Amino acid sequence: MRVAEHLNRSLHTLMENDPSVHLLGEDVSDPYGGAFKITKGLSDRFGPRVMSTPLSEGGIVGVGAGLALAGDRAIVEIMFGDFATLAFDQLVNFAAKSTTMYGRRVDVPLIVRLPTGGRRGYGPTHSQSLQKHFIGVPGLSVYEMSPFHDAGRLFTEIFDSGRPAVFFEDKVLYTKPMLSGGDGLHTFEVRDGWAVIRAERDTEHVLLAPGGLTDRALAALRDLLLEDEIACTLLVPARLHPLDVTPVADVLAAARRVHVAEDGTAGGTWGAEVARLLHERLWGRLTAPITHISAPDSIIPTAAHLEARCTVQPADIRRAINT
């Protein structure tokens, strides 16, 4: 099953099991079913609980947050994650702050889904990875889909937390299969929100990366193992912020080299925050500084040969680890 189909089935199951869930977004209703078909079939099954909206990201998120604040649960799809910038006020100043600014704890069960990333030729304003702009916002959780994590469980986890969340979904990842078990070279396991991908042999290298980078990270790990004879463990968290590394503390404790990769540009990023957290825990055991792998300081062009230079590639990860 591919990631897009898995997300679609997870939404069907969620809305079937919980009549308080509403879904809003541009063109999410049938027969279109969303720009990437993640909401296909939902409006036919659940009628008025699925609403195709005007092109107003601030308005959509505001309505979703209002539904959540009033006691329902809301999932908002923004067609391209780039336009979360138009909903920044509703996310940061309304949804996130509403959990604590009324003198008592208030649940705001809101999920804002954000198709993200480049490598599809959509150009500068439809290809960005804006995760870093939401890291550290009090009251707001940041998640990212991976082929290892069960989306239904993540949606339920977010709703049960009572905190609003942005949920990033890499657009190329939609076309990739869900993964479990292993690939012949590495074993896959999920523990408390973390995917742990290990080689058979011992390794001193650990790579942390969000879900949208998993296909490129796995390609880099295979090349490192087969061509450079370097084994590396990959750690993929479902929740990027707040980040709890306790479930993988044993893996990190064995590391002598740590690398962090992400799709966005450098500067105030998730990767930099991870490096800060791990430096405090591991600096006495590491044999080199934590390596940070990110996209160049550039817009993302439409032309494929130029776009490839402005997004993180497997060769970039391999080169950083094999240095």
Side-chain angles (χ1 to χ4, degrees), residues 1-10 36-38 113 145-149 151 167-179 211 214:
M1 182 188 301
R2 302 200 179 276
V3 171
E5 184 183 359
H6 172 76
L7 282 163
N8 177 258
R9 289 191 181 185
S10 297
F36 301 100
K37 311 310 174 190
I38 307 302
R113 295 181 39 251
M145 185 59 192
S146 90
F148 305 105
H149 292 95
F167 191 92
F168 288 90
E169 303 164 4
D170 184 82
K171 296 192 288 289
V172 173
L173 187 70
Y174 286 147
T175 67
K176 305 297 183 181
M178 296 293 293
L179 299 174
T214 48

Side-chain angles (χ1 to χ4, degrees), residues 35 46 58 60 81 84 129 133 141 184 188-189 210 228 231 242 252 255 276 289 307 312 320:
F46 303 108
I60 304 167
S129 297
H133 298 289
S141 298
F188 309 152
E189 67 166 312
D228 304 318
L252 293 168
R276 182 191 68 80
E307 184 181 40
V312 175

Side-chain angles (χ1 to χ4, degrees), residues 9-129:
R9 289 191 181 185
S10 297
L11 289 171
H12 274 271
T13 300
L14 182 70
M15 296 193 72
E16 180 180 7
N17 293 339
D18 188 346
S20 72
V21 175
H22 299 259
L23 188 140
L24 304 87
E26 298 162 8
D27 295 327
V28 295
S29 298
D30 295 312
Y32 194 59
F36 301 100
K37 311 310 174 190
I38 307 302
T39 60
K40 184 178 179 180
L42 290 171
S43 65
D44 284 346
R45 288 190 67 191
F46 303 108
R49 290 166 54 201
V50 178
M51 180 183 297
S52 283
T53 66
L55 277 67
S56 175
E57 285 77 8
I60 304 167
V61 174
V63 170
L67 283 167
L69 195 61
D72 284 319
R73 294 178 166 188
I75 298 176
V76 171
E77 176 178 296
I78 292 182
M79 188 178 287
F80 285 84
D82 310 67
F83 301 112
T85 53
L86 299 171
F88 200 72
D89 180 61
Q90 291 291 345
L91 282 165
V92 174
N93 287 329
F94 177 37
K97 289 182 173 55
S98 291
T99 58
T100 56
M101 71 178 183
Y102 298 116
R104 59 182 176 86
R105 170 73 185 187
V106 176
D107 286 347
V108 183
L110 168 70
I111 299 171
V112 179
R113 295 181 39 251
L114 302 172
T116 192
R119 302 186 294 152
R120 290 190 64 153
Y122 291 146
T125 61
H126 292 70
S127 304
Q128 299 167 91
S129 297

